[in-house]
Amino acid sequence: MAISRNYDTSWIKTKYSMPKANQYLVSRRRLHQKLNTSLDRKLTMVTAPAGYGKTTVVIEWLENSNLPASWLSVDPEDNNPMLFWRYVCAALDKMAAGINKDVEYVFTSQELLKANIQINILIDRLTGVEQDFLFIIDDIHLITNPLILRGLSYLIKYLPPRMHLILISRTSPALELAKFEIKLQMLKVGEKDLRFQEEEILQFYELRGLRLDTGEVQKVESYTEGWAAALVTIAMSMEKDSVSNDMIARIARCRHGIYQYLKDEVIEAWPLAKKKFALKTSVLDTLCESLCDAVTGDSNGRRMLQDLSERSEFLIPLDDENTYRYHHLLKNFLYELLHKSDPASILELHARAAAWYQEQGLTSQAIEHYLSGQMYDNALMLIEPQLADLAGKNDYDTAISWIARLPESHRENSLDVAGLYADYYASLNCFDLSQKWIDRIKELAVKIDDPGRKLYAKVLFSLASANMLMREGKLEELFSIMKDVGENEYSYYKTLEYFDFNASDIYFYRCPIYKTAILFGERYDEFSEIARKLRTVITKHPGYAPLVAGAYLYENNRLEEAIPYLLEALEEARSAKCPGALVPVMVDLARIKRARGDLPGAFAVLDECEKELQKINKIHWNYLINAFRTRLYLDTGDMDIAVKWIDSSKLSIYSEINRIKEFELIVYARILIARNHTDDAGILLARLLSFTEAEARPHSRVEILNLLAVLAYKRSELSSTVSYMEKSLTTGIEEGFVRSYIDEFEPIIINILKQTARQLRKEEGANPELITYAKNLIEQTQADLRVLSGTNIPVAAAGIKDLLTAQEIKVLELLYAAYTNEEICSSLNIKLRTVKTHTGNIYSKLGVKNRAQCIKLVRDTGLLD
């Protein structure tokens, strides 16, 4: 774990401010009419090569449409998913105030970001917008990151009903559109549409005070083929009010030699001061007076920007504060020209830009220019203080993109860089690589003479090692490492608020540090010492220490002992506003309520959890709470609520599986089984099983194997049933799981466990401990079911026969066959009073109130199949 100091995130507001229309715009009504139909489509693609006026057309149409719209201009640097989606959320905040705040926390976790949580929040929030609105992303061809493109495809698939997306691009972006079947919902505006026609060419030059006769207009149209960039270039090169024949002859070279034409006909004709200004400022992405003056060393920034903006569409105004950017055509040309004419100046220009950004407190932009200017010492000096908080926020992409551009000597000799890489690789479970960088911290520490710095290195080494070893489950080594540093040494660096180890797991036994529960159970004193030392480096207690204890006791079916620890963890997590501990705590408390037969109490705990999450404003946890609530309803046989949840969950059996979505997909699989969609359930569970094995998630693996065993049991596939359960038991006994079986609340599990135990007894060389383990699980599960059978809480599904007497099963079969009470009397040769007693017992054990509910439950669950 890196040690925190300070972190600054710099945004450029102009990126999500809509550019202003040029004063010399030609009104292109035919294109406006076509764009008007975009309100009938999900997606509009405006696609053409550079210089066709794509952006200009959309801006003009927007200014005439009076429709609410958000805008985002992207750059090549925006291929960082965190940066891209931050800009998207900032741009859309004007459509639903508070979106930016709601999603900010998502960018602290790579897992959340890759799971598209920010997009789900956007979709949910924007679905409430009642008026049609537009979102325009300009220069989308610059986005090549597959994660971003997949995210955009996901957004388009579930686009809110009032939202219309317009993508402006030089090429068709690699979006997954075909499988969404939205071709009829997509409008295309292409190169042919954007070409200027003769009438528009005439208006274009008249607005600039330039007169062309019909023949000259036809020549311009013929040579340029209506290419807007060529029309602008010609206008910039004209010194008189007419077009000379020589000029028209040279136009033929425009389409394939625009750069050469710009140089020969435009730049060479500029005054020297204007030419120097344009070349020097070509290193900048955004232009404003003070920045330009700082880079050029002159004080003519305002005048030059005003001069360039007149009669030119190659300089794009970004807001009302005299901020601009060059059109990509002109910027690329100017930078190439600078590189050829004065390459030695480029590094100095970047250095000046970096110094200006640093002075403004815009750290990210300063770092970018220092790196481009090869001023690596300055860059590293700014990068190092950011790394701890970047690691704490899981924003490794930004950090690594900076570090990768440093020379090896700078990377290899920085304690903070080594700490960052150690945490990064540990978060990916790449423990060999993490260890390599931890060793590097130790090597660097040997070379340090300053006592304070040496102590810093010692603590950094200890924390980075602890982070890796807790995730790796190497508890012996963890204790040894932590023992080498005294509590007073840890407390010297008490700068972090707290560590939140869990970004998305609803059960503690699925979060990255779950193996610490073993330490609590087997070596309590060592566990206490480690917890105490880690608490000295944080200013708030997030609740993980008592949660480890409570979760361990819960999983071992020691519910009464678990409660005090869970309540302590609840208070700490609530006070620290740490959702990674809060949610598993409250879910365990709800599970205890459920185990005691207090289903209303369980729902009340979940309601309280949602209230606490509102204070924290980390919305993705609500998705998991809703999934867990659905699981409880499923236990009661309320299929209507389960189906409604599916409809709103954006899930399918082929959804991408990750840690964030895993629990929701498991609940989805349960619903498929309950609805007898066995083929789909089998496909999804097989995919989930592969995921849990690849990601080494034993707690999830046991649940999935149990469900596969249930699925096989319902299909009467005895060998598969036993095979799945044997694999589950093998993992379960190794990890010490108990409640993972009891919490199925299905008598069918008892049947499966019995069948598996019987089969194991027959097998030569079978593990006797596995048979004993299965027997203990049967006994504890039966005990829990007996508790539930005395309450109003229904016990789910097909194995309910274990709770019914033989005579009650016969009565149930006749009830399901629509026999009247009198017919049951006759069929079973019993009295009416006895029939009513049996039916009352059946209703009580099934948790239903009448015959109709009883028949529905039997039908839905396949109870008598």
Side-chain angles (χ1 to χ4, degrees), residues 8 13 46 120 135 179 290 336 379 403 435 467 511 585 651 663 697 725 747 814 858:
D8 165 67
K13 186 177 180 181
V46 182
N120 282 336
F135 181 39
K179 71 178 184 180
S290 61
E336 286 183 16
I403 295 169
Q435 185 63 56
N467 180 41
C511 85
V585 166
L651 298 176
F663 181 76
R697 293 170 63 79
M725 183 51 70
L814 295 174
V858 172

Side-chain angles (χ1 to χ4, degrees), residues 447-492:
K447 303 175 183 179
I448 298 172
D449 295 323
D450 179 72
R453 190 70 178 160
K454 204 169 189 70
L455 180 56
Y456 174 81
K458 182 180 181 181
V459 175
L460 181 62
F461 172 81
S462 178
L463 293 175
S465 299
N467 180 41
M468 182 190 72
L469 293 170
M470 279 193 290
R471 295 170 182 271
E472 203 172 3
K474 293 185 175 179
L475 305 179
E476 193 73 44
E477 293 178 40
L478 172 64
F479 179 69
S480 176
I481 288 287
M482 297 295 290
K483 195 173 183 179
D484 287 342
V485 183
E487 287 185 39
N488 61 326
E489 292 176 312
Y490 281 116
S491 61
Y492 185 76

Side-chain angles (χ1 to χ4, degrees), residues 630-648:
T630 301
R631 162 77 197 275
L632 293 184
Y633 278 116
L634 190 62
D635 285 344
T636 71
D638 194 331
M639 194 59 62
D640 291 339
I641 289 180
V643 170
K644 286 180 182 177
W645 175 78
I646 288 178
D647 292 341
S648 65

Side-chain angles (χ1 to χ4, degrees), residues 496-549:
L496 288 176
E497 190 172 66
Y498 61 77
F499 307 123
D500 194 353
F501 296 99
N502 179 23
S504 59
D505 286 308
I506 198 167
Y507 301 141
F508 172 77
Y509 267 82
R510 295 183 187 178
C511 85
I513 60 165
Y514 79 92
K515 289 187 179 180
T516 53
I518 300 172
L519 193 63
F520 169 82
E522 298 178 0
R523 304 172 69 171
Y524 176 77
D525 290 341
E526 293 176 5
F527 168 82
S528 298
E529 183 176 343
I530 291 172
R532 191 170 60 250
K533 285 184 175 181
L534 287 177
R535 283 179 171 230
T536 62
V537 245
I538 56 179
T539 59
K540 294 181 179 179
H541 296 161
Y544 278 108
L547 170 59
V548 170

Side-chain angles (χ1 to χ4, degrees), residues 671-688:
I671 296 171
L672 292 174
I673 293 172
R675 299 179 74 188
N676 287 320
H677 295 175
T678 54
D679 290 342
D680 284 351
I683 292 170
L684 178 54
L685 288 170
R687 294 183 64 231
L688 283 164

